[in-house]
Amino acid sequence: MELSTGLIYSSYADDPDFKELLDEFVERIPERVGSMRAMFLEQDSTGLITIVHQLRGACGSYGFHQLTQPAEELESLLQANALNDDVENRLELFLAACSRLTSSINIDGD
């Protein structure tokens, strides 16, 4: 799972009709990140698989396509294994990427 270390922009960030929805989605990310960390600590693999699956779909729908493949890989790993160190490492990389989502427009054109 390779993700850049900078902000992650939505492909819809420049659409004024989508701005409010993007803002709401991004504002809820810290809550989802906290929930996923708690589920991992509680060894709730079923809950974690569910929220990763939901987030994978939502990221795609909201134009954060950079996260759909890493979420799919994490979901597959969760379905195949117990909650182990490899899952924890991938989960932390994914959560760090989620924390870099922004509803702002990428003014640098990157």
Side-chain angles (χ1 to χ4, degrees):
M1 174 185 315
E2 286 205 27
L3 291 167
S4 67
T5 56
L7 292 175
I8 299 175
Y9 299 91
S10 168
S11 59
Y12 304 121
D14 61 350
D15 183 344
D17 295 331
F18 215 68
K19 175 82 170 115
E20 187 176 332
L21 291 172
L22 276 176
D23 288 344
E24 289 175 19
F25 178 73
V26 170
E27 285 175 14
R28 293 185 51 219
I29 289 296
E31 177 185 332
R32 289 183 174 190
V33 165
S35 293
M36 287 186 276
R37 280 200 174 103
M39 287 177 192
F40 181 83
L41 292 173
E42 295 167 2
Q43 299 289 292
D44 180 0
S45 60
T46 303
L48 194 50
I49 289 168
T50 299
I51 197 167
V52 169
H53 178 80
Q54 291 169 346
L55 196 53
R56 180 183 87 184
C59 283
S61 295
Y62 284 91
F64 295 106
H65 304 291
Q66 307 92 315
L67 289 183
T68 56
Q69 183 66 32
E72 184 177 341
E73 292 170 6
L74 179 58
E75 182 180 358
S76 295
L77 188 62
L78 285 163
Q79 290 171 338
N81 295 311
L83 297 176
N84 59 29
D85 289 344
D86 188 37
V87 171
E88 183 176 20
N89 292 336
R90 286 180 176 241
L91 176 64
E92 285 304 320
L93 287 172
F94 180 69
L95 296 180
C98 287
S99 297
R100 294 193 317 274
L101 296 181
T102 181
S103 59
S104 300
I105 297 174
N106 181 357
I107 57 174
D108 295 332
D110 293 336

